Amino acid sequence: MKKIPVLEIFGPTIQGEGMVIGQKTMFVRTGGCDYRCSWCDSAFTWDGSQKAAVMDAASIVEKLYEKGTNLFSHVTISGGNPAIHPGIHSLIEELRNQGIQTAVETQGSIWAEWMIDIDEVTISPKPPSSLMKTDWEKLDYYINRLERRPNKAFSLKIVIFNKEDLEYAAEVHTRYPNAPMFLQVGNDDLTEKEAGMLRDHLLERYEWLISETMDDARWNDVKILPQLHTLLWGNKQGV
Ligand SMILES: C[S@@+](CC[C@H](N)C(=O)[O-])C[C@H]1O[C@@H](n2cnc3c(N)ncnc32)[C@H](O)[C@@H]1O
Ligand SMILES: Nc1nc2[nH]cc(C(=O)O)c2c(=O)[nH]1
Ligand code: SF4
Ligand SMILES: [Mg+2]
């Protein structure tokens, strides 16, 4: 079995972001990313500050049951960029055999054939504030493959820090008008230890994002969300 570097397995908790926000889920967070976003809230997956455990699909499933017991029926795979790991194919297969729903978080830079079998795929292209560059051809291919899956869902989720990011999101929305679109409040304070302090600040950022989008017709068909887990638990890892 192909091995997967794993940074953390946690839950059950709620999915705090995007298209299935509020869903009770377990998380598997893989190591390694082809991007280096300036504001990455999970930089420990790629900056060498934390060490990954190299695991095969069977031992990941075992760990999920050890932590989650019978208290879950949904697993979200995030990272890092999970798409760089071919071993996730067997993980998805094992979870499906157990009747467990799956979701993935990726930036849409690298296609993986196992995406086809995931129930909810969230693609999060990166706006200018991240300092990353979008490969539009790769993203076109992604959206095209995802759109053709029967009985499975996907969405675009763009993190917004400033007006330039909003213009980028508008470009993405125009390019893929049929893809469900989410705008997410960017967390610009990754060092605050007090959840309460961060909460007030992020709610202000959420209000700003709402005010920027309400009288702009380009956003008539978009969903605007905060990171719910960050409002609840701040910058804490593993929640
Ligand atoms: C850590 S990433 C891992 C998955 C994948 N690499 C990606 O970026 O989509 C998970 C989600 O967190 C978002 N994210 C990362 N840093 C953030 C921040 N500082 N504020 C808000 N969202 C952030 C990403 O845009 C992505 O949607
Ligand atoms: N509760 C919770 N929801 C999340 N949604 C996306 C997350 C991620 O880091 O990918 C995440 C996370 O780390 N925790
Ligand atoms: S793509 Fe995702 S994991 Fe990679 S650096 Fe950006 S936010 Fe972090
Ligand atoms: Mg996160």
Side-chain angles (χ1 to χ4, degrees):
M1 245 190 233
K2 291 195 188 94
K3 303 266 189 174
I4 306 163
V6 176
L7 257 299
E8 46 182 12
I9 293 174
F10 63 92
T13 183
I14 51 134
Q15 165 57 275
E17 306 178 14
M19 65 194 292
V20 291
I21 191 165
Q23 169 71 49
K24 183 177 181 181
T25 190
M26 296 292 291
F27 276 87
V28 176
R29 191 182 301 284
T30 60
C33 192
D34 48 318
Y35 276 18
R36 298 284 181 265
C37 297
S38 62
W39 37 251
C40 180
D41 64 8
S42 304
F44 58 86
T45 59
W46 50 260
D47 68 4
S49 61
Q50 292 182 29
K51 202 170 151 23
V54 181
M55 301 170 80
D56 60 18
S59 51
I60 294 173
V61 172
E62 200 179 311
K63 195 76 175 173
L64 281 165
Y65 280 110
E66 192 186 308
K67 294 225 165 163
T69 65
N70 66 339
L71 298 174
F72 71 98
S73 60
H74 188 279
V75 171
T76 305
I77 303 164
S78 187
N81 186 1
I84 64 181
H85 305 298
I88 291 178
H89 200 128
S90 340
L91 176 61
I92 304 304
E93 255 173 24
E94 293 220 17
L95 291 172
R96 195 182 35 207
N97 291 342
Q98 313 254 356
I100 289 169
Q101 297 275 114
T102 53
V104 75
E105 304 265 340
T106 180
Q107 62 266 41
S109 56
I110 295 171
W111 173 254
E113 211 52 47
W114 51 257
M115 291 282 164
I116 294 294
D117 299 318
I118 301 259
D119 296 295
E120 297 126 6
V121 179
T122 295
I123 310 297
S124 183
K126 296 297 178 268
S129 63
S130 69
L131 306 180
M132 298 297 111
K133 284 270 169 295
T134 302
D135 183 331
W136 294 102
E137 272 176 31
K138 289 222 172 78
L139 197 55
D140 287 350
Y141 182 79
Y142 238 93
I143 305 297
N144 187 266
R145 291 297 304 273
L146 292 175
E147 274 177 341
R148 288 188 284 137
R149 304 179 316 157
N151 307 318
K152 306 264 186 214
F154 81 98
S155 72
L156 289 161
K157 176 177 75 184
I158 302 188
V159 175
I160 306 292
F161 284 82
N162 55 39
K163 288 189 188 223
E164 200 189 1
D165 289 352
L166 261 177
E167 289 310 307
Y168 169 87
E171 193 182 341
V172 174
H173 193 34
T174 306
R175 195 173 180 104
Y176 313 111
N178 299 320
M181 175 90 165
F182 292 77
L183 301 181
Q184 172 164 303
V185 176
N187 175 7
D188 58 0
D189 188 353
L190 299 172
T191 56
E192 176 60 59
K193 296 269 186 291
E194 263 257 29
M197 297 286 287
L198 189 60
R199 183 180 305 140
D200 283 352
H201 173 64
L202 291 177
L203 285 173
E204 271 172 34
R205 298 303 300 158
Y206 189 28
E207 265 197 299
W208 170 79
L209 187 53
I210 293 169
S211 70
E212 284 295 315
T213 44
M214 287 305 105
D215 28 4
D216 185 336
R218 294 178 300 176
W219 302 121
N220 287 359
D221 190 24
V222 76
K223 293 187 174 68
I224 302 161
L225 286 174
Q227 284 181 301
L228 198 49
H229 55 106
T230 312
L231 291 181
L232 288 165
W233 302 301
N235 286 314
K236 196 167 164 206
Q237 199 182 322
V239 289

